[in-house]
Amino acid sequence: MLEVLSEIIGLTIMTIAGFYIIKKIIESNQKITSAKNISIVALGVVIPLMIYQVEYKSIYTLITYLTNIIIYKLIFKENIGKSIILTSIAMIITFIADLLFSIIIIPFFDVKDIRGIWYLKIISNIAILIISIVLLKILEKMKILKKINKMTNTMENTSLILFLILLIVVITIFAYNSYTIFKWNEEYILNIILIIVFLLLLYIFLREKTNYEKLSGEYDMLFSYVQNFEDWIEREQLNRHEYKNQLAVLRCLTKEKKVKNKIDEILEDNINIEGQAVTNLKSLPKGGIKGLMYYKAAIAQKYKINLTTDVSIESSGILTKLSERDIRVLCKLIGIYFDNAIEAAQESRKKNISIEIYELKDKVSFVFSNTFKKYKNMKDRNKKGVSSKGEGRGNGLYFAAKLIKENPWITEKQEIIDNYYIQQIIIKK
């Protein structure tokens, strides 16, 4: 009887630990003491209890994991994908706490005592709960919880869900190995090292995904801005043309040198939106691509880069048939390659950029050609962190490579011809 009671108490403590961890991650105002949540937690205790045995079985952990996914979904009212992620994170934290506690008590107790003696079992679960809270506080101070919450709110979480499910299966195997060994020897140490390796892989994966989502979010924000920029720049071109005509008339009417100089200063725009390079972009369809090209062209001209553009596409061609989601992806790639062309051209002696956009045989090509300062690691340019601009840079092309891999309707090609670096984006119909 005491054994069953201690297991009920233990399951309740660990379920509450998971509840507290998830509540902290998503900053929920849910309370465990509500009648509804108490009944849900009771369900999470009863199901694993039905298959409990003193001797540890891997299936017990997996059933507890699946049960917790359901109960935390019911409590926090999250979708199943987010519930899997949150439950997995909570389980990993409690597993680390369990591992740390086991390392401490190995010299003093046998695993059968811990699982078989009722009061040791309760003490163990309370200790794991306390260590879990300490770990949670550390993660909170490191702002990792906020990053996890932000990540789970993004639309695409399939890769993260699959990775976490795989990790839970691996952890379950290691937990079983730890149970069967449970003494300090080479095998147990190797087991701990492998656990640490997998946890480091999780950290690297989460950091990688966070950086990816952050960069993606920045380009999404730019996309929303350039859509408004399209309308503004076309209105501004008309208004400024008339405005400049009037200034030119005034300049002819005055003989004052200072007035003429001032008019000349005004006529020299900080953002040139009237050059031939910008005018050639007018045939691009509205919806984001045109605005982005206008914006980047203005930046290139601001930096005194010699920009030429050539656009030859059909008025109702492939670009007009792209969905908003596809346009966002394409704009991210254009933004990365145009930015790289501007930075590379700035460092070169001739400072030339040529952009060709043409439609041919059910394909549209964006070709960015720019002069550049020779860089010895050109072959590694798509790798993360590789850049001629110094340490901590070089994520743009790595991000672009991931985007292209996820979108098979886009291909790209890079080559160097006559001291020009050429980057091509090809959109298939």
Side-chain angles (χ1 to χ4, degrees):
M1 182 65 185
L2 286 174
E3 186 181 320
V4 175
L5 182 61
S6 64
E7 182 61 18
I8 292 171
I9 293 171
L11 283 168
T12 304
I13 289 172
M14 298 317 298
T15 306
I16 291 171
F19 171 88
Y20 182 73
I21 291 168
I22 293 174
K23 180 178 178 178
K24 275 288 185 182
I25 292 173
I26 64 175
E27 299 176 344
S28 172
N29 58 2
Q30 283 285 345
K31 293 181 179 179
I32 196 74
T33 53
S34 70
K36 178 186 174 185
N37 288 344
I38 289 173
S39 62
I40 294 172
V41 168
L43 177 67
V45 171
V46 169
I47 294 174
L49 188 64
M50 293 169 66
I51 61 164
Y52 174 74
Q53 294 177 2
V54 174
E55 186 179 348
Y56 178 78
K57 300 289 183 183
S58 298
I59 191 67
Y60 178 80
T61 303
L62 293 175
I63 288 176
T64 304
Y65 172 60
L66 294 172
T67 304
N68 286 344
I69 289 172
I70 296 168
I71 68 169
Y72 294 139
K73 179 182 178 355
L74 294 173
I75 291 173
F76 295 103
K77 299 179 178 63
E78 298 289 353
N79 61 59
I80 190 67
K82 189 168 182 177
S83 182
I84 291 171
I85 293 170
L86 293 172
T87 304
S88 301
I89 297 295
M91 191 168 178
I92 290 166
I93 291 172
T94 54
F95 173 77
I96 295 170
D98 193 348
L99 180 65
L100 292 172
F101 179 70
S102 298
I103 291 171
I104 295 168
I105 65 168
I106 278 178
F108 309 104
F109 297 98
D110 185 82
V111 69
K112 289 184 179 179
D113 294 334
I114 299 297
R115 290 183 64 83
I117 301 174
W118 67 272
Y119 59 86
L120 284 181
K121 186 184 292 185
I122 294 172
I123 292 170
S124 298
N125 283 299
I126 292 171
I128 292 167
L129 174 62
I130 293 169
I131 296 171
S132 298
I133 292 170
V134 172
L135 289 173
L136 198 63
K137 292 292 182 184
I138 293 170
L139 293 174
E140 192 173 18
K141 281 193 175 183
M142 293 172 67
K143 297 182 179 178
I144 292 175
L145 296 185
K146 283 189 176 180
K147 289 180 180 179
I148 292 172
N149 185 32
K150 188 176 180 181
M151 188 188 308
T152 56
N153 287 327
T154 57
M155 292 300 291
E156 297 293 334
N157 279 317
T158 307
S159 59
L160 179 58
I161 291 168
L162 293 174
F163 185 87
L164 286 172
I165 291 173
L166 177 63
L167 189 60
I168 293 298
V169 172
V170 171
I171 283 174
T172 302
I173 295 169
F174 285 134
Y176 178 76
N177 289 341
S178 298
Y179 168 79
T180 54
I181 303 167
F182 209 75
K183 60 181 176 181
W184 282 110
N185 57 26
E186 290 181 4
E187 196 176 352
Y188 188 79
I189 292 170
L190 178 61
N191 200 59
I192 290 175
I193 291 170
L194 289 172
I195 290 168
I196 292 170
V197 168
F198 274 96
L199 291 174
L200 284 173
L201 287 174
L202 173 63
Y203 172 75
I204 293 167
F205 182 87
L206 290 174
R207 188 179 66 176
E208 194 78 16
K209 192 164 178 64
T210 301
N211 291 338
Y212 182 89
E213 296 297 340
K214 181 181 177 184
L215 196 54
S216 180
E218 289 173 356
Y219 278 105
D220 282 336
M221 193 178 296
L222 176 62
F223 178 79
S224 63
Y225 289 150
V226 297
Q227 283 182 309
N228 296 326
F229 191 61
E230 287 177 351
D231 294 328
W232 175 85
I233 200 167
E234 291 184 351
R235 288 196 307 269
E236 191 69 11
Q237 281 177 322
L238 292 172
N239 294 337
R240 192 168 293 195
H241 183 70
E242 182 60 28
Y243 171 64
K244 283 188 172 183
N245 286 342
Q246 292 174 6
L247 283 175
V249 172
L250 288 174
R251 192 182 187 283
C252 294
L253 292 176
T254 184
K255 294 181 180 180
E256 291 290 333
K257 189 175 181 181
K258 287 184 179 180
V259 175
K260 286 186 176 184
N261 289 340
K262 188 63 180 175
I263 291 173
D264 289 340
E265 284 179 21
I266 294 171
L267 289 171
E268 296 231 354
D269 299 314
N270 288 327
I271 299 180
N272 187 348
I273 58 171
E274 293 188 12
Q276 189 61 41
V278 175
T279 303
N280 289 343
L281 300 173
K282 282 186 175 180
S283 58
L284 287 171
K286 291 179 67 175
I289 297 173
K290 180 191 280 189
L292 181 62
M293 294 297 292
Y294 276 151
Y295 175 65
K296 296 298 182 182
I299 291 174
Q301 293 182 344
K302 180 182 177 182
Y303 288 129
K304 305 283 193 271
I305 290 171
N306 305 312
L307 177 67
T308 59
T309 59
D310 184 13
V311 180
S312 178
I313 59 172
E314 297 179 16
S315 58
S316 58
I318 294 172
L319 293 181
T320 62
K321 296 179 175 66
L322 294 179
S323 66
E324 184 176 334
R325 186 260 178 200
D326 291 344
I327 290 172
R328 283 178 179 272
V329 171
L330 184 55
C331 281
K332 288 173 186 177
L333 291 171
I334 291 170
I336 291 167
Y337 293 140
F338 210 149
D339 283 342
N340 284 354
I342 290 170
E343 290 192 25
Q346 274 185 280
E347 295 174 353
S348 69
R349 185 171 58 84
K350 292 185 178 180
K351 297 183 178 10
N352 292 338
I353 294 179
S354 171
I355 297 174
E356 299 172 76
I357 306 169
Y358 57 88
E359 188 166 348
L360 186 66
K361 293 183 180 179
D362 297 331
K363 293 181 181 178
V364 173
S365 292
F366 286 73
V367 184
F368 300 85
S369 306
N370 59 270
T371 53
F372 65 97
K373 186 178 179 180
K374 287 187 178 179
Y375 176 49
K376 61 182 179 180
N377 287 335
M378 292 297 286
K379 290 182 180 179
D380 298 330
R381 56 191 173 270
N382 284 345
K383 292 182 180 179
K384 188 174 186 290
V386 173
S387 174
S388 61
K389 300 183 281 293
E391 189 176 349
R393 305 291 298 278
N395 290 327
L397 288 177
Y398 175 75
F399 175 58
K402 289 191 73 171
L403 275 177
I404 290 169
K405 188 176 179 181
E406 293 169 2
N407 295 276
W409 54 277
I410 300 177
T411 56
E412 59 93 34
K413 186 167 67 174
Q414 301 163 337
E415 56 185 333
I416 297 172
I417 300 175
D418 295 333
N419 295 322
Y420 274 81
Y421 178 75
I422 301 170
Q423 175 69 58
Q424 186 175 9
I425 309 172
I426 304 162
I427 298 102
K428 302 173 188 176
K429 188 172 181 181

